[in-house]
Amino acid sequence: MTDQAVDSADRVATSNAVPATGQFVGRRRELKALRADIERAGLDTLAGRKGARPRVLLIAGRPGSGRSALARELAAQLAGDYPDGVLRARLTGPGGDRVPAADTARELLGLLGVPAPAGAGEDELTELVRGAIGGRRALLLLDDAADAGQVEPLLPDASASLVVATSTGPLTGIPDVRPCTLGGLDTGSAVELLKQAAGAVRITVDPRTAETLAEECGGQPAALVLVGGWLATRPKLSVADVTKQLWSLPDEAEEPKAASRPLARAFRFVYRSLPQSAARLLRLLALAPAGLVDAHTASALAGCSVSAARTTLEEFTTLGLLRGTDGPQFEVPGCLVPLLTELMETQDRPAEVQLARARMLERTVRLLQSCWAITEPDDSVIRKKLAGLPRSLRFTSAPAAAEWLRLRLPALLASARLAVADGELDTLARRLVAALVRALAAHRGTDAAAPVLYGLHQLVLGVAERRGLHRERAAALLNLADLDAECGRTREALARYKAALDAGRSAHDPYATGRATESVGGAYQELRDWDRAADWYGRALAHRQARGERSEESRLYGRLGTVHSYAGRYGDALRSWRAAVAGYRRLGDLSGQARALSELARVQEYAGHPEESLRTCTEAVEWARRADDVRLQAALYLRLADTLDRLGDSAAAQLHRGSAGRLLADSKSTYEIRGTSAED
């Protein structure tokens, strides 16, 4: 997940996470070495060749060592040298899971302002990233890389940019990378960090004890922040008091598995001071999707009020247990997540954890439903249901809901993955995914949200296939195929439509079956395979006729007529359009009848019968007038004018063009008349 971007030489734009408050301290030697490494002659230069790829700087250290903070500080210092911006991407999630390369690439493309095609594969996306960065002078900050395999695909084939990566160890496989390995802070810098966290007065009046405390924390920034935060909440205690208590803390029976000893010890010290209810909430924050938690998430996990949860989260932030972000949510430090997970697994019963997770996901569903509902008309059913929700679950306006969706999207996507991670596509998971899809479509539009929607439908598809849920599989395949078709991947869409047809038949779902059958025809039409398109449209027509769906039957006659026209089978096309006209007439659909007549007139002209075309088009104008479809009337007058021009009657053609102009002027229409067709 991308959590920070420096998008100009002197401005840091943040998304998902903000650097810790306070000024950066220490690491002067490391900063100097890193800056010198940028200018160091690489292996290519020594061999007499110009480097083809950017320099890669590596900052290595254990979680909690301040490697990310050092990388951000270096990026801030170098931002002026890279006018095309500094992009930051996080390659490992808070729980230690690798972020898929496709997700990382999609986030970077978003920061670069490059559209990410819906459904594009990992190779295509990373190639787009390399191409977008290759023509720029940018700094790419890749935080918490698990190995070289996460970094190498993102390296552009140009040397003008710089890559800064952080990791726990070396990136074996990327040539010419010398790691800058971090240990503890020097004593002076460690004491300065304690001042920032605890306040300067008590540290200044007892500098010797402060140095002892810094040594007890191993000079590790995360441990120092925790102990300093604990001291900040207890203004009556001295530095000597906290040093004595930390020193007297009994050792655990086993060495910590999830963190270095100083960090684990400092965390345990702070954790033991928490009230029981706060300690329980802190443990459950290990469940926070994407490591991001807001008051609603905490409230649902702990089963307390939203206001009480918000207060506790703010207290955790003061203690250094959470980090603030650019919105009303907090980030669980990645170095603490394994420690929280260990505590949760040992102190909370599995049933309680499962219940807390279910409450959190249910709250997420309700918030998403509220986020979607606020965009609906005031008199709609969903808005009336929204009024019945508690005030804390309602958004004040559509812009407020859209902003919440933007800020929480990484956590919402992680929630969707969490809901189906165990392979159970139960009611809660289905509702969550459906609500997220609706909210994204309502606030961003289907086209803009397509890349995210594609991932959600893939998630549902994977679970449906594992569980043998044919109806859900058919729906997911249809949604994915539609997105494939919109992105021009017609053959991929065709394969998915056919798979959806099989799934719909297995589920005995007539809607999915009919929709998939017609969509197969549409894919063949897009591929200009007119014979197969006509065959599948015929099957879809038979399906609709068997179910007595008259409106769909008329529409499919029109699709058949279109395909026959493209294939030059004008006789078949005329029969299909006449059947469509008759169907709309029986339905009393005046506008549909007028449009079908206009297409019938078009085919008649193609077939070499201009006089018949004129009569049919004139009839279409009359039905459009009765339907009060001014735009269609104007388009038909223009078609009549074009036909009359071809017949040599330019005077009559001019009259019809004038009629079209007057119609549009009377209706105060602002769209361009010339070239408008009946389909518009």
Side-chain angles (χ1 to χ4, degrees):
M1 292 294 184
T2 301
D3 56 9
Q4 186 186 58
V6 186
D7 61 0
S8 71
D10 57 359
R11 184 170 68 88
V12 179
T14 305
S15 163
N16 296 347
V18 174
T21 57
Q23 296 180 348
F24 184 82
V25 299
R27 304 298 190 194
R28 293 183 179 179
R29 178 179 58 81
E30 289 87 349
L31 282 167
K32 183 178 179 181
L34 287 165
R35 295 186 70 126
D37 200 21
I38 299 173
E39 304 299 330
R40 177 176 59 86
L43 297 177
D44 288 333
T45 303
L46 292 173
R49 300 186 303 269
K50 183 179 179 180
R53 307 189 87 177
R55 168 76 72 192
V56 178
L57 305 182
L58 173 60
I59 302 173
R62 302 193 67 171
S65 63
R67 62 193 183 193
S68 297
L70 177 58
R72 288 195 295 267
E73 177 65 17
L74 178 64
Q77 292 185 11
L78 296 174
D81 299 331
Y82 295 91
D84 290 320
V86 181
L87 312 170
R88 184 182 174 202
R90 185 174 180 176
L91 303 184
T92 303
D97 298 329
R98 297 163 64 104
V99 175
D103 291 354
T104 301
R106 198 173 290 113
E107 291 286 342
L108 290 172
L109 289 171
L111 291 173
L112 290 163
V114 178
E122 177 181 310
D123 291 343
E124 181 181 353
L125 290 169
T126 53
E127 183 178 354
L128 284 172
V129 170
R130 292 195 300 273
I133 298 177
R136 311 184 191 209
R137 184 171 175 80
L139 192 156
L140 180 60
L141 200 166
L142 302 176
D143 199 9
D144 206 6
D147 52 45
Q150 288 187 297
V151 175
E152 200 279 334
L154 300 172
L155 300 180
D157 296 323
S159 58
S161 295
L162 174 69
V163 177
V164 178
T166 71
S167 180
T168 55
L171 296 179
T172 305
I174 298 179
D176 203 21
V177 177
R178 297 193 306 188
C180 174
T181 304
L182 301 185
L185 290 170
D186 62 85
T187 303
S189 298
V191 171
E192 184 63 29
L193 186 56
L194 275 175
K195 286 183 181 179
Q196 288 189 8
V201 176
R202 283 176 290 177
I203 304 299
T204 302
V205 299
D206 194 356
R208 296 290 186 188
T209 307
E211 291 177 1
T212 302
L213 179 58
E215 292 174 2
E216 188 68 22
C217 293
Q220 191 169 31
L224 291 163
V225 168
L226 288 173
V227 173
W230 185 91
L231 187 58
T233 61
R234 290 160 175 80
K236 294 184 178 181
L237 293 182
S238 67
V239 178
D241 293 329
V242 68
T243 304
K244 182 178 179 180
Q245 291 188 40
L246 183 63
W247 183 80
S248 63
L249 187 70
D251 291 330
E252 291 287 349
E254 298 180 1
E255 287 294 319
K257 301 176 182 178
S260 65
R261 184 177 182 277
L263 175 58
R265 189 177 180 83
F267 170 76
R268 186 155 47 94
F269 173 73
V270 175
Y271 173 77
R272 288 189 174 190
S273 69
L274 296 175
Q276 184 176 355
S277 59
R280 177 174 176 271
L281 172 57
L282 181 63
R283 295 194 303 270
L284 292 174
L285 292 185
L287 301 175
L292 296 171
V293 57
D294 62 0
H296 277 290
T297 303
S299 166
L301 286 171
C304 64
S305 68
V306 175
S307 59
R310 184 179 295 109
T311 299
T312 304
L313 293 178
E314 291 170 352
E315 292 171 353
F316 287 165
T317 305
T318 302
L319 288 168
L321 294 166
L322 294 178
R323 299 189 188 117
T325 69
D326 64 342
Q329 64 180 352
F330 304 85
E331 181 185 17
V332 183
C335 61
L336 298 185
V337 172
L339 291 167
L340 295 175
T341 303
E342 285 187 17
L343 282 172
M344 184 182 66
E345 291 175 348
T346 56
Q347 298 190 26
D348 296 289
R349 291 182 296 179
E352 293 175 345
V353 173
Q354 185 177 8
L355 179 59
R357 181 186 287 111
R359 285 198 306 264
M360 177 183 68
L361 296 176
E362 177 63 36
R363 180 72 60 86
T364 303
V365 171
R366 299 181 74 187
L367 285 166
L368 282 168
Q369 290 173 338
S370 178
C371 180
W372 159 54
I374 195 68
T375 65
E376 294 295 301
D378 291 339
D379 58 350
S380 63
V381 175
I382 189 66
R383 283 296 292 270
K384 293 177 181 177
K385 290 182 178 180
L386 175 63
L389 290 176
R391 185 180 299 274
S392 62
L393 295 178
R394 301 200 300 264
F395 294 97
T396 56
S397 64
E403 179 64 7
W404 174 85
L405 183 63
R406 182 188 71 82
L407 290 172
R408 292 291 293 165
L409 185 57
L412 294 171
L413 294 174
S415 296
R417 289 190 288 268
L418 175 65
V420 297
D422 58 1
E424 294 288 341
L425 191 66
D426 56 11
T427 302
L428 179 58
R430 284 196 294 268
R431 289 169 56 222
L432 195 157
V433 174
L436 182 51
V437 168
R438 289 194 185 100
L440 285 166
H443 287 282
R444 297 189 175 186
T446 303
D447 290 343
V452 179
L453 298 179
Y454 200 95
L456 290 172
H457 296 317
Q458 281 184 316
L459 185 65
V460 174
L461 176 61
V463 177
E465 288 178 339
R466 288 196 302 271
R467 300 287 297 167
L469 303 171
H470 300 298
R471 190 183 303 274
E472 286 80 3
R473 180 170 179 264
L477 283 166
L478 284 170
N479 288 326
L480 287 167
D482 288 344
L483 291 171
D484 280 330
E486 290 171 9
C487 292
R489 294 189 295 271
T490 308
R491 294 196 179 278
E492 290 85 345
L494 176 60
R496 281 196 161 122
Y497 284 134
K498 288 184 175 180
L501 177 59
D502 292 338
R505 287 170 174 166
S506 298
H508 304 291
D509 185 339
Y511 169 78
T513 301
R515 165 99 144 71
T517 303
E518 181 177 347
S519 296
V520 170
Y524 277 124
Q525 179 178 338
E526 187 67 23
L527 293 170
R528 306 178 69 83
D529 189 338
W530 313 126
D531 291 338
R532 285 192 174 92
D535 176 42
W536 281 94
Y537 282 149
R539 299 184 196 188
L541 176 61
H543 177 82
R544 301 295 187 183
Q545 288 174 328
R547 294 180 53 79
E549 297 174 357
R550 300 305 177 192
S551 177
E552 296 300 309
E553 176 185 343
S554 299
R555 186 178 56 77
L556 279 164
Y557 269 125
R559 300 204 74 172
L560 270 171
T562 299
V563 170
H564 287 314
S565 297
Y566 283 136
R569 296 189 291 265
Y570 298 125
D572 292 334
L574 290 172
R575 283 189 290 274
S576 294
W577 280 115
R578 287 189 179 109
V581 170
Y584 285 123
R585 183 183 298 117
R586 286 192 295 270
L587 291 168
D589 184 347
L590 303 184
S591 183
Q593 184 178 345
R595 291 177 183 275
L597 281 167
S598 73
E599 293 304 319
L600 176 60
R602 185 197 298 273
V603 177
Q604 287 172 333
E605 187 170 352
Y606 290 161
H609 307 296
E611 291 81 4
E612 290 183 23
S613 177
L614 277 175
R615 288 194 295 272
T616 304
C617 201
T618 302
E619 183 182 355
V621 170
E622 174 59 22
W623 287 110
R625 185 190 63 77
R626 295 186 186 184
D628 198 25
D629 192 334
V630 175
R631 187 175 179 181
L632 179 58
Q633 277 184 271
L636 289 168
Y637 273 130
L638 291 174
R639 178 173 295 171
L640 280 169
D642 291 340
T643 303
L644 288 166
D645 271 336
R646 283 189 285 273
L647 290 173
D649 192 345
S650 57
Q654 189 62 32
L655 288 173
H656 284 301
R657 287 196 176 91
S659 297
R662 286 190 296 274
L663 279 171
L664 294 173
D666 291 342
S667 63
K668 298 181 180 179
S669 176
T670 59
Y671 76 98
E672 180 67 37
I673 299 176
R674 292 188 182 277
T676 303
S677 66
E679 294 85 357
D680 295 331

